């Protein structure tokens, strides 16, 4: 439907509606089209007036579409009018309408009303991330940083995960401000990145650097660098945190994972208790292993090669210096097929121990169990990020230890152009934001990634106080 270019009278709207194939949804389709082509507000308004005359009122869904157009164009007085109409007509608004009202008002001089609406929304739901972030940006923009941080902490308390965009905005808006409290809050964001193993992208990293350098009187200077394999920073010569856990930390983590994750409720959704018991017996009789491999995951590394060839290449790459390998496979790998050749499977079984699980089993629990039971030296190979298991660990200290253990024990296989694989070893130092008080080291990525990745950045921002 092509929206008209100027407002129409009721008869003209009626004619268009009658010629439309499904007249009962004409208004919604027309408004969608107006949103797409960003039609003038008075054209949309003339449609609403026509609907109100014809039906005596305007449906909720039609008002929300009109509101979308108003927000898109920043028509603040119209947004206020729609709010007044909807509050009188409907007892409760849903999250979509609140998002639109808050977004539309927070970008205007009526931004405080957006805060009032956020409070109103809280009475019936947990507001969305968009609503929180619109209000945070509005408060920051008007230099009300205390208010912005209150909203940020409230968001975290309700498990609403902030975007990197809003975290970056805190550093952008705080540049040059003299306030010890504010400084503490921004350090808190850096520790949030550490806690959640989040790597800022290049533009976010630059905002952090500029903010540090704008703090008057404290002489912070930032430099971009690559950390040596030894873990030493070439700029300030500081040694980064070791990625190894202490004996006590390792034992605690191992106990917790085996208790919470492996014997918790989530494992047996995709595997039977009998199968897991058989696996435990298998592992206990053959301990310890040096490397545990998620066979199915690794077999897909090079899409153009046979799955069994990929896995054989990986085993050959890892099976050096008499290391003991355990490969977690699936029973279908034993059925001679185009992707799983029997002779190649036999060859692999001379180089590594194999455990073949049912075809529907969840690998992660097996992988974690075998690796942790083998001891601190044992590494594992998968391209997964093991994200779900972090959620099963109830306290933040254990989650932190899990991530730290993962960073120090996950081997990443990279496909090379000529040779088959190169092994990116687990790091000796810990790849997370870290501080000694007068230095900060922040790992960052070149590009923004919405998905968390197991690949650790090689680039760092070193900030030191001169």
């Amino acid at each position: 439907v092509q929206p008209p270019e100027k407002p129409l009278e009721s008869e003209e709207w009626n004619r268009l509606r009658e010629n439309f194939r499904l007249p009962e949804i004409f208004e919604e389709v027309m408004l969608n089209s107006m949103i797409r082509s960003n039609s003038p507000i008075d054209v949309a308004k003339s449609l609403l007036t026509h609907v109100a005359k014809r039906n005596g009122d305007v449906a909720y869904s039609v008002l929300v579409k009109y509101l979308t157009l108003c927000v898109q164009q920043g028509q603040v007085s119209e947004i206020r009018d729609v709010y007044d109409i909807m509050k009188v007509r409907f007892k409760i608004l849903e999250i979509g309408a609140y998002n639109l009202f808050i977004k539309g008002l927070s970008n205007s001089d009526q931004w405080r009303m957006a805060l009032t609406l956020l409070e109103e929304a809280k009475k019936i739901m947990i507001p969305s991330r968009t609503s929180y972030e619109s209000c945070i940006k509005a408060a920051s923009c008007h230099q009300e940083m205390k208010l912005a941080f209150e909203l940020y902490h409230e968001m975290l308390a309700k498990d609403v995960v902030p975007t990197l965009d809003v975290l970056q905005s805190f550093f952008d808006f705080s540049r040059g401000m003299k306030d010890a409290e504010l400084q503490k809050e921004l350090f808190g964001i850096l520790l949030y990145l550490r806690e959640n193993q989040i790597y800022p992208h290049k533009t976010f990293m630059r905002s952090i650097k500029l903010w540090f350098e704008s703090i008057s009187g404290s002489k912070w200077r930032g430099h971009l660098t690559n950390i040596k394999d030894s873990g030493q920073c070439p700029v300030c010569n500081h040694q980064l945190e070791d990625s190894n856990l202490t004996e006590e930390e390792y034992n605690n983590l191992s106990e917790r994972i085996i208790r919470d994750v492996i014997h918790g409720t989530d494992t047996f959704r995709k595997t039977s208790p009998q199968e897991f018991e058989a696996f435990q017996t298998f592992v206990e009789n053959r301990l310890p292993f040096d490397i545990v491999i998620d066979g199915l995951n690794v077999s897909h590394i090079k899409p153009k090669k046979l799955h069994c060839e990929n896995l054989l290449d990986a085993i050959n790459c890892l099976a050096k210096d008499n290391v003991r390998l355990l490969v977690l496979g699936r029973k279908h790998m034993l059925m001679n097929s185009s992707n799983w050749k029997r002779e190649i499977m036999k060859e692999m079984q001379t180089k590594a121990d194999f455990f073949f699980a049912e075809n529907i089993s969840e690998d992660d629990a097996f992988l974690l169990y075998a690796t942790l039971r083998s001891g601190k030296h044992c590494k594992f190979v998968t391209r997964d990020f093991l994200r779900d298991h972090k959620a099963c660990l109830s306290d933040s200290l254990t989650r932190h230890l899990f991530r730290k253990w993962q960073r120090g024990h996950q081997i990443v296989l990279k496909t090379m152009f000529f040779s088959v694989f190169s092994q990116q070893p687990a790091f000796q130092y810990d790849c997370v934001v870290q501080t000694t008080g007068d230095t900060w080291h922040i790992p960052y990525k070149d590009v923004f990634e919405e998905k968390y990745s197991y690949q650790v950045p090689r680039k760092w921002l070193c900030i030191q106080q001169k």
Side-chain angles (χ1 to χ4, degrees):
V1 183
Q2 207 45 47
E5 284 172 20
K6 55 184 197 327
L8 302 182
E9 295 299 325
S10 276
E11 303 76 62
E12 297 170 290
W13 280 123
N14 269 332
R15 259 200 310 282
L16 282 178
R17 188 172 188 266
E18 281 156 16
N19 293 332
F20 188 65
R21 209 178 47 205
L22 296 163
E24 62 279 8
I25 57 162
F26 169 74
E27 285 81 18
E28 292 199 30
V29 174
M30 178 55 82
L31 280 161
N32 279 340
S33 180
M34 288 181 183
I35 293 164
R36 268 197 306 276
S37 50
N38 205 17
S39 297
I41 266 307
D42 55 353
V43 177
K45 214 169 175 178
S46 77
L47 175 60
L48 254 63
T49 310
H50 157 67
V51 173
K53 271 188 200 161
R54 192 187 69 223
N55 299 348
D57 64 10
V58 181
Y60 186 95
S61 56
V62 173
L63 280 169
V64 169
K65 291 202 186 300
Y66 175 64
L67 173 62
T68 307
L69 187 64
C70 296
V71 171
Q72 192 168 293
Q73 298 183 6
Q75 303 273 357
V76 181
S77 62
E78 284 300 313
I79 296 171
R80 295 278 319 235
D81 290 349
V82 177
Y83 176 73
D84 293 339
I85 293 167
M86 289 183 86
K87 274 315 277 181
V88 172
R89 288 266 321 279
F90 308 103
K91 285 281 172 282
I92 288 180
L93 305 181
E94 43 70 65
I95 198 159
Y98 274 117
N99 276 347
L100 284 165
F101 283 125
I102 290 169
K103 186 180 173 191
L105 295 167
S106 62
N107 285 330
S108 73
D109 56 356
Q110 309 268 314
W111 67 279
R112 286 196 181 275
M113 186 178 169
L115 297 174
T116 311
L117 294 187
L118 186 71
E119 288 306 312
E120 200 178 286
K122 276 185 226 168
K123 290 177 187 150
I124 49 173
M125 63 181 96
I126 292 181
S128 70
R129 169 159 81 181
T130 320
S131 291
Y132 268 117
E133 296 197 345
S134 297
C135 290
I136 287 173
K137 283 190 178 166
S140 306
C141 204
H142 293 86
Q143 304 286 288
E144 300 230 6
M145 297 312 292
K146 192 166 181 284
L147 173 59
F149 273 107
E150 276 168 19
L151 291 168
Y152 163 70
H153 288 300
E154 192 181 290
M155 207 178 158
L156 293 183
K158 292 186 172 161
D159 284 333
V160 181
V161 179
T163 58
L164 293 191
D165 182 44
V166 86
L167 296 180
Q168 183 184 336
S169 75
F170 278 117
F171 288 91
D172 290 338
F173 285 119
S174 305
R175 209 173 291 162
M177 283 189 183
K178 294 188 183 75
D179 181 345
E181 258 320 289
L182 180 63
Q183 208 167 311
K184 221 164 87 185
E185 288 283 16
L186 289 156
F187 287 158
I189 290 181
L190 295 175
L191 295 174
Y192 171 82
L193 298 179
R194 171 190 171 89
E195 170 77 21
N196 293 282
Q197 194 182 343
I198 295 168
Y199 303 122
H201 46 79
K202 205 185 259 172
T203 49
F204 184 4
M205 175 277 295
R206 286 209 184 100
S207 294
I208 295 170
K209 180 176 182 290
L210 289 170
W211 172 74
F212 268 103
E213 292 174 347
S214 79
I215 301 172
S216 61
S218 55
K219 308 260 187 309
W220 288 98
R221 277 289 157 268
H223 297 276
L224 308 188
T225 186
N226 289 26
I227 301 294
K228 297 173 183 168
D229 285 343
S230 64
Q232 193 183 39
C233 170
V235 178
C236 64
N237 295 325
H238 178 74
Q239 187 67 31
L240 294 193
E241 291 172 33
D242 192 336
S243 66
N244 284 323
L245 303 187
T246 63
E247 281 301 324
E248 190 185 358
E249 285 176 332
Y250 179 79
N251 292 337
N252 285 345
L253 178 69
S254 179
E255 270 168 41
R256 283 296 299 276
I257 290 184
I258 287 172
R259 191 183 74 213
D260 293 6
V261 176
I262 295 172
H263 296 306
T265 51
D266 75 327
T267 314
F268 300 126
R269 262 187 261 145
K270 292 189 180 154
T271 183
S272 67
Q274 294 79 4
E275 181 177 48
F276 200 72
E277 268 169 41
F279 174 67
Q280 284 175 290
T281 310
F282 173 90
V283 169
E284 297 301 326
N285 290 336
R286 290 169 178 77
L287 284 174
F289 295 102
D290 299 305
I291 301 174
V292 182
I293 302 167
D294 180 343
L296 198 60
N297 185 290
V298 168
S299 72
H300 289 85
I301 285 188
K302 284 191 170 181
K304 292 199 171 89
K305 282 190 90 160
L306 294 183
H307 294 168
C308 57
E309 289 176 348
N310 273 331
L311 186 53
L312 177 62
D313 290 344
I315 288 172
N316 286 338
C317 165
L318 297 163
K320 299 189 177 83
D321 312 321
N322 295 327
V323 294
R324 295 200 55 225
L325 306 180
L326 168 62
V327 179
L328 302 172
R330 292 282 207 279
K331 288 194 170 154
H332 73 255
M333 296 176 177
L334 295 167
M335 319 278 288
N336 196 16
S337 66
S338 57
N339 258 316
W340 297 102
K341 303 271 185 234
R342 187 162 289 147
E343 60 279 11
I344 294 181
M345 288 305 297
K346 277 195 176 137
E347 185 188 340
M348 284 193 263
Q349 284 168 280
T350 63
K351 301 178 178 190
D353 279 295
F354 271 76
F355 182 85
F356 296 98
E358 289 299 334
N359 294 330
I360 52 164
S361 297
E362 191 50 276
D363 274 354
D364 290 356
F366 291 74
L367 185 79
L368 289 172
Y369 183 82
T371 310
L372 288 164
R373 284 294 294 126
S374 291
K376 253 175 93 169
H377 73 288
C378 185
K379 307 273 197 282
F380 63 92
V381 184
T382 177
R383 295 183 302 153
D384 283 346
F385 199 56
L386 307 181
R387 221 173 155 63
D388 302 345
H389 298 299
K390 186 182 149 211
C392 302
L393 299 166
S394 47
D395 63 294
S396 64
L397 177 66
T398 314
R399 283 199 292 270
H400 173 70
L401 289 179
F402 177 63
R403 282 281 168 248
K404 186 172 180 176
W405 172 77
Q406 181 187 355
R407 288 189 296 269
H409 289 76
Q410 184 162 1
I411 294 172
V412 177
L413 287 178
K414 286 190 166 172
T415 53
M416 300 299 280
F417 189 61
F418 296 113
S419 69
V420 194
F421 288 125
S422 81
Q423 185 182 332
Q424 182 179 317
F427 286 94
Q428 295 304 303
Y429 57 91
D430 200 5
C431 283
V432 278
V433 172
Q434 42 194 277
T435 180
T436 59
D438 57 358
T439 68
W440 281 86
H441 287 90
I442 299 166
Y444 69 92
K445 297 208 158 179
D446 277 334
V447 289
F448 168 69
E449 282 175 0
E450 182 60 62
K451 259 179 88 60
Y452 287 80
S453 153
Y454 53 79
Q455 291 202 317
V456 173
R458 306 304 304 246
K459 298 183 172 183
W460 289 72
L461 167 65
C462 161
I463 301 171
Q464 56 183 142
Q465 214 168 6
K466 285 282 192 252

